[in-house]
Amino acid sequence: KAGVTQTPRYLIKTRGQQVTLSCSPISGHRSVSWYQQTPGQGLQFLFEYFSETQRNKGNFPGRFSGRQFSNSRSEMNVSTLELGDSALYLCASRLVLAGSYEQYFGPGTRLTVT
Amino acid sequence: AQKVTQAQTEISVVEKEDVTLDCVYETRDTTYYLFWYKQPPSGELVFLIRRNSFDEQNEISGRYSWNFQKSTSSFNFTITASQVVDSAVYFCALAPTSGTYKYIFGTGTRLKVLA
């Protein structure tokens, strides 16, 4: 079974631009979560989507948004990029089923804002 | 508030040594999950183990073992006979069993296994 895939793997953007990252979960997984990883702040939860609805949101500004499609694929968008948005963005999927609580992560998208 | 502390920032060992990675957590929830993930240089977080708060049995999987002690809020991870391929950053994480499904991660421990 294929794992979580994320595209693109690397991105370089300029301050003020916007960016869209994509995540395809493991087949059958209906929950998708996004995390930001930086050397200073570590791994921080951005949001979780299930059945095309955002269920939870972390403590990030409104410039960070996301959505989920009917096939469970998810995108996250960051508008008006700032230098501090440079990070590894990780997507994780989860099989929403009793007894299954672990998340499986993709390889991440490394975003560099210049 | 929920918090996960991994006090060891970096550990270096020589191949074949045993090494223990510490994880201490704080939560007011009566039920919760604990996890360990491995992050090799490629960046992908690899799931290693999940432990339910009501199950304090220790677990062994090959060279890996986990010691969960609710009384001390610790969930430590031991690698026996370490190998160079074990070199990675290891994260401990905490999640509630209901409501928000948001992982709280520790800051990670970088393990370097030297040949």
Side-chain angles (χ1 to χ4, degrees), chain A residues 9 33 35 37 43 45 48 55-56 88 90 94 99 101-107, chain B residues 33 35 37 39 42-45 47 50 52 91 97 99-103 105-106:
Chain A
R9 293 292 311 279
S33 295
Y35 291 81
Q37 186 177 24
L43 278 154
F45 172 78
E48 180 199 4
R55 295 214 302 186
N56 301 294
L88 179 66
L90 291 161
R94 181 171 68 95
Y101 303 101
E102 52 273 13
Q103 297 185 47
Y104 293 89
F105 286 79
Chain B
Y33 297 110
F35 307 85
Y37 283 84
Q39 188 176 42
S42 60
E44 181 173 344
L45 282 165
F47 167 73
R50 167 180 57 97
N52 302 337
F91 290 93
T97 58
T100 174
Y101 204 78
K102 156 185 158 179
Y103 278 23
F105 281 94

